[in-house]
């Protein structure tokens, strides 16, 4: 049933918004590499694109796409197709098209200007965030029937992960300033894929100093192979848990 | 062929289906009749697994359809309102279906596509189609894969008289082949000569499930709309007849 993925992929790749998104990424990447003289600085700039724009676009585009595909879903489900298969294949189509957009928009400029481990990790982090946020979009669209509400939920999720979460963490830090918070901080970081990717990337470009004294703890944790494996596993969980919840919900849903 | 066993379904506080029990056999052509909102479409969607019942079971050839999907290979479904991806063309939709069903080329039933003239407008995008043309596309897709069971939800609503006649002839031919055909319609005159059984639904309940001859005998009327008019008459008392 890879055919469903194929149809979704072909449909999205022709989508004007997706083409514009790819071109925007390409434009930002090239201008950052041409404006900054050191590639490390350009990569840092690109990191912010990865951390803010990619989650936002993945969430909003996926949510709108999934709501607009309601007819397609209905048509497919009256055919001999399993619900789980339909949902995962549609997600697969979305994921693949985001990967293609990131590969063209970020991957190619990085390959041209800064072929390095850091560059590769940036592309990987962008892909991971796309997959995570489209999985969250899938969950939002399966849970709420109303399109406007679904998009609202998606935007709130983005605001939460991009801004609110950091505020809450800061609040917690001030409240418990008297206690050693290094280990709890690592655990808290795991609860936000954006933060996790940010810290992971910052440490890779040797910017740990920007993180203050907690940075030292992070440095120790994330530069070890165990830390890196755990972070990767946590990012994967951020993909699979929303996906699993969506399938569970979708299996019980009336059309 | 299809056995519906005490199905219950509520949408919020509304009881859409209450204790539905039906046994539908191959070769029968069943008219599902009932006022708007009586639960006909919900029942059909339950057969297809699009609506999941709160209680009860649906057996397709003695196997439960709950959480199953394979059995839909043997069903052709024509929805009341055919909704299709707007940006696809008719030809693309049909090719996609053939592709997904893995039907070998040349094995599909293209009779309706020719007689309804759909094969001449394959490059039209779905969003430009009128309601009637959409209905025709739905009909073509429902009959395309030689299904054992045909579920037609208001098949002739919105079709012009000529197309409606073509579709009815096609249904009659499929009936000859021993298919189980389930039709819901409000246009009772369309169902004359086609149906063998009538299922009457009201407020989510099956009021009766009887053979057409039986009803004709009971009411003394021959045509289905007359039969139903007599049965629906509030002063009609079956004991008196």
């Amino acid at each position: 049933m890879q055919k469903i993925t194929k149809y979704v992929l072909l449909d999205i790749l022709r989508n004007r918004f997706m083409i514009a998104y790819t071109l925007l990424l390409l434009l930002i990447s090239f201008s950052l590499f041409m404006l900054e003289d050191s590639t490390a600085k350009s990569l840092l700039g690109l990191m912010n694109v990865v951390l803010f724009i990619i989650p936002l676009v993945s969430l909003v585009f996926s949510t709108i796409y999934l709501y607009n595909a309601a007819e397609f879903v209905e048509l497919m489900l009256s055919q001999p197709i399993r619900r789980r298969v339909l949902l995962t294949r549609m997600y697969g189509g979305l994921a693949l098209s985001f990967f293609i957009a990131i590969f063209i928009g970020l991957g190619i400029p990085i390959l041209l200007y800064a072929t390095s481990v850091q560059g590769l990790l940036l592309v990987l982090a962008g892909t991971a965030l796309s997959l995570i946020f489209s999985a969250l979009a899938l969950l939002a669209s399966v849970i709420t029937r109303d399109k406007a509400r679904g998009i609202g939920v998606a935007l709130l999720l983005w605001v939460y992960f991009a801004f609110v979460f950091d505020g809450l963490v800061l609040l917690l830090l001030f409240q418990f300033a008297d206690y050693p918070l290094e280990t709890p901080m690592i655990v808290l970081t795991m609860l936000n894929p954006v933060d996790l990717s940010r810290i992971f990337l910052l440490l890779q470009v040797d910017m740990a100093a920007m993180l203050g004294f907690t940075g030292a703890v992070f440095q120790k944790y994330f530069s070890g192979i165990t830390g890196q494996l755990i972070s990767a596993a946590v990012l994967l969980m951020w993909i699979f848990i929303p996906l699993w919840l969506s399938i569970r919900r979708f299996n019980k849903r009336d059309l | 062929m299809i056995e519906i066993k005490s199905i219950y379904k509520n949408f919020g506080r509304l009881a859409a289906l209450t204790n539905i029990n039906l046994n539908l056999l191959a070769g029968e052509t069943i008219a599902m009749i009932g006022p708007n909102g009586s639960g006909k479409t919900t029942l059909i969607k339950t057969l297809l697994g699009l609506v999941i019942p709160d209680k009860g079971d649906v057996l397709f050839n003695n196997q439960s359809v709950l959480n199953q999907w394979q059995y839909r290979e043997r069903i052709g479904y024509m929805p009341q309102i055919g909704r299709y991806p707007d940006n696809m063309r008719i030809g693309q939709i049909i090719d996609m279906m053939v592709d997904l069903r893995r039907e070998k080329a040349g094995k599909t039933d293209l009779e309706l596509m020719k007689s309804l003239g759909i094969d001449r407008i394959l490059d039209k995008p779905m969003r430009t189609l009128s309601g009637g043309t959409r209905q025709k596309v739905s009909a073509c897709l429902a009959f395309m894969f030689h299904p054992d069971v045909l579920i037609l939800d208001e098949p002739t609503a919105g079709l012009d008289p000529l197309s409606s006649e073509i579709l009815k002839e096609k249904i009659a031919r499929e009936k000859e082949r021993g298919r189980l055909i389930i039709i819901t319609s409000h246009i009772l005159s369309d169902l004359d000569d086609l149906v063998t059984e009538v299922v009457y639904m009201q407020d989510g309940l099956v009021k009766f499930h009887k053979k057409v001859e039986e009803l004709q005998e009971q009411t003394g009327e021959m045509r289905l709309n007359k039969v139903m008019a007599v049965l629906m008459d509030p002063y009609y008392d079956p004991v008196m007849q």
Side-chain angles (χ1 to χ4, degrees), chain A residues 211-224:
Chain A
L211 294 167
F213 64 74
T214 336
V217 181
F218 282 145
Q219 178 83 62
K220 205 174 124 212
Y221 175 74
F222 282 102
S223 52

Side-chain angles (χ1 to χ4, degrees), chain B residues 26-70:
Chain B
E28 292 180 344
T29 303
I30 294 139
M32 257 190 218
I33 302 174
N36 300 118
S38 55
K40 302 182 300 281
T41 299
T42 308
L43 184 60
I44 282 177
K45 285 190 165 182
T46 315
L47 298 183
L48 284 160
L50 292 174
V51 167
I52 293 154
D54 297 335
K55 257 201 283 180
D57 202 353
V58 177
L59 303 181
F60 189 93
N61 286 340
N62 299 321
Q63 297 219 318
S64 172
V65 306
L66 299 179
N67 293 316
Q68 290 301 311
W69 53 283
Q70 209 91 46

